[in-house]
Amino acid sequence: MLEDPRASLLRVATESPVCWDVLVIGGGATGLSVAWDAVSRGLRVALVEQADFAEATSSRTTKLVHGGVRYLRNGEIGLVREALAERRLLLRNAPEFSRPLGFVLPVTNQRERLYYRFGMGLYDLLARDAGIGRSRLLSLADTLERLPALRMDNLVGAIAYNDAQFDDAALAVALAQAVNASGGLALNHAPVTRLLREGDRVIGAAVRDVETGRCWEMRSRVVINATGVFSGALRRENGLACRWDVRASRGSHLVCPREACPIDHALIIPETPDGRVLFAIPWKGHVVIGTTDVPVGSPVLDPHPDDDEVAFILREAGRSLGLVSSDITSRWAGLRPLVSRSGVRSTSALSRKHVIEQTAPGLVSVLGGKWTTARWMAEDAIDAAIRHQGLVASPSTTRDRPLTAHGARPPRRDLLDAPPDPGCLATPVVEDCRHAYARTLGDVLSRRLRVLPLDARKALELAPGVAAIMAGELGWDEAMVKTQLADFRETALACLPPGSG
């Protein structure tokens, strides 16, 4: 058996230099992008994540890289323009993990047709050179040719436009690989237990390895709090004031096989009867349908859709696409981190803009934001650390820094557009353990092979075989195999389709 790759990462973490330049807490979209930006500037950077990379919010998105059509309605022109520019950079720097995607926005009367045509024209204008094809009007016949499954009363045509989609979890792992290959450290399953302080100044963090229980201290000139929906808890638990709050909004999704909803273009319904936005996105031989916007209280690592959210998505998908509950193969949810403003009650009215907060001497918090703008947020955060915390570094180079040219492994071609062949699991599972930091059944079946978010029953069927492969690779004993299977079963049961029991 080869040496467990985690052992070398732990040696780097525990035998690190006397002081890192930057210690990032949080291994989602924001934290990984911050670490990538820091290492691109020649800084000594370490990142620790409490669970798996992107296990929470950052692997539970609608799989879109987009400017945010609905933000135009809120007048957030600057955010849309920046997001469209970042969309182009992601497509250029990570084409193995992202690609353009055609959208269809159906309209049911001429007023809608003019209104949305104007809006998409503005979207094109804001994209400027970052555009990936101009929007255009579609006739009724062209609309039905692109979306043969579409069922809408009084349909008169549609607006066609382009955005992009990606594999969120795969991109997160690629960023971790690139950070590690470029001289930094990115370590998952290593939660921070407390911040280290010297007077008012934050000087690092105490960290624990989940697998061994080993604890150690990591000192740093600057600590970046990039924990998303958990950023408020990190600040409060360490006795720090929260000048900006982060509120969580749950976005839930249902998934069906493409056979139940045969679409090759994405569908956006910009306003359902109760004022929400609905997407239907083709992805890996399936269709992802969502999303909701439900305020939640205390954030959790593994949120789930409630009955009302499932009913809403099913009702709207049934009305527009003829779907029924028996078509659904999986359901899941994620929590969006939204920076709150005084006087705003509804999370749907909160912006996806980010805020860089100087929480304490030595501690910078990155709040809010989304995957599309994560690179920009990271550059902003490290610039702030340089200005306020005394770091000396060169300018960011991530605008022109392809991931696979700097150590990220491209995804397996046979897993790009479909779930894995159950008879050919050994090679991808071993590769995920050796090169993609997979440590649990959930890491593999949820975020490496993407089986669970596509088909919960299939994930349960594959779990024993995958556990056997991982046991041979990672040295699990029988007790560990049983624990892994039990933990994954609990997770997967919550993703089973409605009415599965």
Side-chain angles (χ1 to χ4, degrees):
M1 184 189 302
L2 297 175
E3 180 190 29
D4 182 353
R6 185 178 179 79
S8 61
L9 294 176
L10 282 172
R11 277 198 298 273
V12 174
T14 57
E15 300 170 11
S16 60
V18 175
C19 188
W20 297 92
D21 291 322
V22 177
L23 174 61
V24 182
I25 304 174
T30 303
L32 288 162
S33 298
V34 168
W36 179 230
D37 186 88
V39 81
S40 82
R41 302 175 189 238
L43 294 169
R44 293 179 302 179
V45 59
L47 176 149
V48 289
E49 159 58 38
Q50 65 169 328
D52 186 23
F53 297 123
E55 181 165 338
T57 298
S58 297
S59 65
R60 300 161 185 255
T61 73
T62 314
K63 318 307 176 193
L64 296 180
V65 183
H66 61 130
V69 171
R70 72 172 184 169
Y71 304 132
L72 288 177
R73 187 166 55 188
N74 299 337
E76 296 186 272
I77 302 298
L79 176 61
V80 174
R81 181 189 294 116
E82 192 61 49
L84 289 169
E86 291 297 320
R87 181 190 66 181
R88 177 183 64 173
L89 294 179
L90 183 58
L91 288 169
R92 186 176 71 195
N93 291 328
E96 302 86 356
F97 307 93
S98 59
R99 61 186 176 190
L101 177 67
F103 278 74
V104 174
L105 189 162
V107 293
T108 57
N109 57 63
Q110 292 302 321
R111 180 180 173 278
E112 276 189 355
R113 188 181 179 93
L114 291 173
Y115 175 78
Y116 289 119
R117 183 68 187 94
F118 174 80
M120 297 317 304
L122 178 59
Y123 201 61
D124 294 339
L125 182 64
L126 291 173
R128 298 179 181 173
D129 294 339
I132 49 177
R134 299 188 65 83
S135 61
R136 56 201 178 280
L137 292 170
L138 296 181
S139 67
L140 177 59
D142 288 339
T143 301
L144 294 176
E145 181 180 353
R146 289 169 183 257
L147 291 175
L150 184 62
R151 302 179 182 181
M152 291 185 69
D153 294 335
N154 304 317
L155 185 68
V156 298
I159 313 298
Y161 71 99
N162 293 287
D163 252 318
Q165 73 174 168
F166 74 135
D167 187 328
D168 44 20
L171 181 59
V173 170
L175 283 165
Q177 291 169 331
V179 168
N180 284 325
S182 300
L185 170 71
L187 182 68
N188 56 354
H189 299 289
V192 164
T193 58
R194 61 184 172 87
L195 297 177
L196 304 179
R197 310 278 286 274
E198 280 186 356
D200 292 336
R201 186 171 188 83
V202 175
I203 60 167
V207 184
R208 177 176 60 87
D209 175 33
V210 168
E211 295 186 5
T212 64
R214 181 179 181 179
C215 298
W216 70 96
E217 294 184 350
M218 300 180 73
R219 295 179 178 268
S220 176
R221 297 177 63 194
V222 177
V223 176
I224 306 288
N225 171 16
T227 54
V229 292
F230 303 103
S231 60
L234 178 71
R235 290 175 290 168
R236 288 189 293 270
E237 288 168 4
N238 285 274
L240 299 170
C242 299
R243 290 188 291 274
W244 291 87
D245 199 8
V246 172
R247 295 170 60 187
S249 167
R250 186 172 59 237
S252 295
H253 301 81
L254 303 183
V255 181
C256 70
R258 187 184 177 281
E259 292 75 20
C261 183
I263 60 174
D264 294 318
H265 292 75
L267 166 70
I268 175 174
I269 298 176
E271 190 166 353
T272 60
D274 58 358
R276 290 185 272 190
V277 177
L278 189 76
F279 290 98
I281 310 295
W283 190 63
K284 295 183 181 292
H286 291 67
V287 178
V288 177
I289 307 159
T291 179
T292 57
D293 194 331
V294 177
V296 299
S298 299
V300 295
L301 194 63
D302 187 22
H304 302 290
D306 65 23
D307 291 344
D308 288 343
E309 291 174 285
V310 171
F312 159 72
I313 298 173
L314 272 177
R315 181 175 66 250
E316 296 305 324
R319 178 182 294 144
S320 304
L321 297 166
L323 290 179
V324 295
S325 59
S326 59
D327 293 323
I328 305 305
T329 53
S330 191
R331 55 178 171 172
W332 36 270
L335 302 182
R336 306 179 187 95
L338 304 173
V339 182
S340 66
R341 303 190 300 247
S342 60
V344 177
R345 295 184 178 182
S346 169
T347 55
S348 63
L350 294 180
S351 174
R352 297 306 299 272
K353 292 179 180 177
H354 71 276
V355 169
I356 306 298
E357 178 190 80
Q358 305 301 314
T359 304
L363 179 65
V364 174
S365 294
V366 191
L367 311 174
K370 58 179 183 173
W371 253 118
T372 303
T373 56
R375 191 215 62 84
W376 169 40
M377 294 161 57
E379 182 177 335
D380 199 9
I382 296 300
D383 283 346
I386 291 170
R387 287 195 307 270
H388 299 291
Q389 309 295 340
L391 288 182
V392 177
S394 58
S396 173
T397 64
T398 55
R399 293 181 65 88
D400 300 294
R401 195 174 174 89
L403 286 178
T404 55
H406 292 85
R409 295 171 67 91
R412 287 173 56 93
R413 304 304 301 176
D414 57 336
L415 299 180
L416 280 178
D417 297 307
D421 181 344
C424 304
L425 287 174
T427 296
V429 172
V430 169
E431 288 181 353
D432 288 338
C433 293
R434 293 183 182 178
H435 306 297
Y437 318 116
R439 308 301 300 177
T440 72
L441 271 177
D443 293 355
V444 170
L445 287 169
S446 296
R447 290 169 294 283
R448 303 306 184 279
L449 300 183
R450 310 318 306 266
V451 180
L452 181 58
L454 296 175
D455 190 328
R457 287 194 185 90
K458 179 60 67 177
L460 283 167
E461 293 171 7
L462 295 178
V466 172
I469 297 168
M470 295 183 74
E473 185 65 21
L474 300 180
W476 291 349
D477 59 18
E478 185 176 347
M480 175 58 78
V481 170
K482 289 182 178 179
T483 297
Q484 288 286 326
L485 286 170
D487 289 347
F488 182 73
R489 178 175 174 78
E490 181 179 354
T491 298
L493 287 176
C495 297
L496 283 174
S500 297

